[in-house]
Amino acid sequence: MIETKNLTKHFGEVVAVDNLSLHVNRGEIYGLLGENGAGKTTTLRMLATMLQPTSGNAVLAGYDLVKNPEKVRSSIGILFGGDSGLYDRLTAAENIAYFGRLNNMSELLLQDRIRELTEVFGMEEYIKRRAGKFSKGMKQKAAFARSIIHNPDIMLFDEPTSGLDVSAIRNVHEFILDCRSQGKSIILSSHSMSEVEKLCDRIGIIHKGKLVAQGSIAQLQEQHQGKSLEDIFIEVAGGGK
Amino acid sequence: MSIKHIWIVFKKEVRDIIRDKRTLITNLLIPIILMPILVYFMGGGMEKMEKDIENVTIALTEKSDTAEIRSLLEQNIFGDYPNVSFNGVVADPTAAIQDDVVRFVLDVEEDFAAKLGEGTPYKIFVHYDETDTKSLSSYGILTQAIQEYSQKQVEQRLIDMNIDLQILQPVSIVPINEADENAGGNFMLMMIVPMLASILIAVGGIPAATDLVAGEKERATFEPLLTTQAGRMSILLGKYMTVTMFSFVSVIAQLIGLLIGGLMSPSFFTMTSPGGQIGNFNIPIGALLLTILILVTLGMVFAAVELGISTYARSFKEAQTYLSFLTIIAMVPGYATMMLQPDDLQLYMFFIPLLNAIAALKMSLGGLINYTYLGIALGTSMLYVILSLAAAAWMFNQEKYLFRS
Ligand SMILES: Nc1ncnc2c1ncn2[C@@H]1O[C@H](COP(=O)(O)OP(=O)(O)O)[C@@H](O)[C@H]1O
Ligand SMILES: [Mg+2]
């Protein structure tokens, strides 16, 4: 469960996120759709406790974002950007274990979980090899495993397919859907209509830091005379440039 | 903040860096190989220079090439100087000196014997090259020999005239050396070690500092790391310990190199200050411990500054550029104080960051220990550790530097 209330972030004069209120249920994928600079990354960084909100608050998995950031971090996993972000000189297993340990997992539980994820992602062959020499696909799987090593209730994806080729994009989509089927609450930021249409249960269109439209695709279309998502997006976010 | 998380970060970073061949080679291998070579050439070179100065070669001008003059020079004046050798006759003294054929060309007045008999002074013209260090140093040996000879002539004359030799010496000087027994020390080490140590401590942590924040930002591992349950300060401290450690890894490598070099050419370590004596080289254990502590705190200050800079930098490249400037800044006090002797050390030096460590090291190597000064250096260093760490922590919490994109 994610619930934000008037979440706001200023960078000096710039209002990057402006009174953002949304909620995401268990087993739901919420799409945060917006152009470059709309405030998607800033929103997700606040939810991941990397940035402190200027005002407003959020509750993630029952924990208060402002008062209890450490607990919030125990409940979230992130996959930011298309880059897998692994330590090249560590093996896949060492990469994953590092994040497990920093998330206070016991050594016993950690090794069990690595074994389990190795099987889930089919990494048996290279789990003990250094990540620097991996193919893109291998890196991607290790990064997936790393993001969910501590089995978080909430997953935050920030444009996870940017810069990836078709098969890699498909892998990401499958991973996101897997996360949903495990009952996680998910926010996926994207600037791709088709991606959001394909995956998301509900959508929020963000423009200049403000949430300008929100609802399921069906609801949005109902509110906008049955137009396509793209047309709706242009209508609510395109005009005011 | 949690010790457990700090330790996890530290262990991971050390493992990561140890697997980086490039860092290992620059931090470990190069010092161990380079230092002995440096020491060997410096030591060997100086030894050769000293020998060269002693081995004086002399030629005569054509008109001085008579049996009488030869006997005067070879037997009477330079008879007691086996390292002075006569290398024939030259037509053109200027060319002979400038082409380095011989070090000196002597031109003795032909009628010297007559003048000697009359008791009027005669001249020996010495051609030499003032711009040549060796020539200048050998000049001392030459004039000494001539003066000794001259002195003997004077004494002979006084004896002939029945005058007591004591008349020549109304006052005699009795030197009594009151220097502290421990003072003296090793000139070479006092000159080189403090400078080298400060630079190495600065440089040693740089590859790690660059990699650990700027590198991590660039590789996109930083954001996942910040969303683990490890607090930001635990992450910073784990990295800080790593950088501090690597500052010293290269220092230790360098010392090993210096030691190997010393074994290869021992004369390097026994060279003394000009005119000084070979010092007895022993640092009191208390001073040694204080100095080591001061150096450790210096490494900690550098580690914090380097991490702060690495956090501030927009990219890996930018971090490298800033940090290479830091190296230059670190070099300045080292070079500026290179020729400073332990008794030139001023109180204010023990308050200034970096300079205090250099001064403490110089003092200990020189053997003239002032524990108040060393205490001041340690106290101020510890203050700088706290200040620099606070600055790094502040930087690490600045959203605008941490997330530049
Ligand atoms: N660390 C930062 N410092 C200053 N301004 C920032 C920072 N991060 C983002 N911004 C600004 O905030 C706005 C939103 O950026 P961002 O959240 O990255 O948008 P998106 O992810 O939707 O492309 C932009 O105008 C951007 O320039
Ligand atoms: Mg973004």
Side-chain angles (χ1 to χ4, degrees), chain A residues 2 31 39 47 53 88 103 112 126 164 173 181 183 212 233 241:
Chain A
I2 306 169
L47 294 178
D88 282 351
N103 275 311
D112 268 357
Y126 53 85
L164 299 186
H173 289 174
S181 66
V212 288
F233 184 82
K241 263 205 160 175

Side-chain angles (χ1 to χ4, degrees), chain A residues 141-160:
Chain A
K141 285 178 178 168
F144 291 164
R146 180 200 59 201
S147 70
I148 56 166
I149 179 71
H150 54 306
N151 198 12
D153 289 336
I154 292 168
M155 286 299 289
L156 305 174
F157 293 91
D158 187 31
E159 306 206 31

Side-chain angles (χ1 to χ4, degrees), chain A residues 9-11 41 45 48-53 70-71 73-76 78 80 83-91 94-95 97-99 101-105 130 146 150 158, chain B residues 1-2 4-6 8-10 12-13 15-21 211 216 218-232 235 239 399-400 402-405:
Chain A
K9 183 70 186 178
H10 295 197
F11 291 112
T41 301
R45 277 179 176 158
T49 77
M50 284 185 260
L51 295 175
Q52 278 179 4
E70 209 154 309
K71 282 288 181 197
R73 285 201 293 273
S74 72
S75 316
I76 57 172
I78 69 164
F80 275 26
D83 245 354
S84 52
L86 297 175
Y87 300 105
D88 282 351
R89 293 185 292 269
L90 298 190
T91 66
E94 286 165 348
N95 264 289
Y98 182 44
F99 288 88
R101 292 193 184 107
L102 289 179
N103 275 311
N104 297 336
M105 292 175 76
R130 292 195 192 172
R146 180 200 59 201
H150 54 306
D158 187 31
Chain B
M1 209 163 72
S2 121
K4 195 184 93 195
H5 288 152
I6 296 173
I8 293 169
V9 172
F10 175 71
K12 178 262 163 191
E13 298 297 7
R15 171 186 284 170
D16 201 342
I17 290 178
I18 282 177
R19 287 184 187 172
D20 179 12
K21 288 204 188 68
D211 205 49
E216 187 136 23
E218 196 150 305
R219 280 190 309 262
T221 48
F222 201 43
E223 298 198 327
L225 183 61
L226 291 177
T227 36
T228 62
Q229 283 181 73
R232 217 166 272 187
I235 294 171
K239 289 175 181 289
E399 294 175 346
K400 61 174 180 278
L402 218 44
F403 307 102
R404 290 273 210 175
S405 55

Side-chain angles (χ1 to χ4, degrees), chain B residues 370-385:
Chain B
N370 180 332
Y371 282 96
T372 313
Y373 282 28
L374 287 184
I376 289 170
L378 184 60
T380 50
S381 293
M382 282 176 359
L383 181 68
Y384 296 132
V385 168

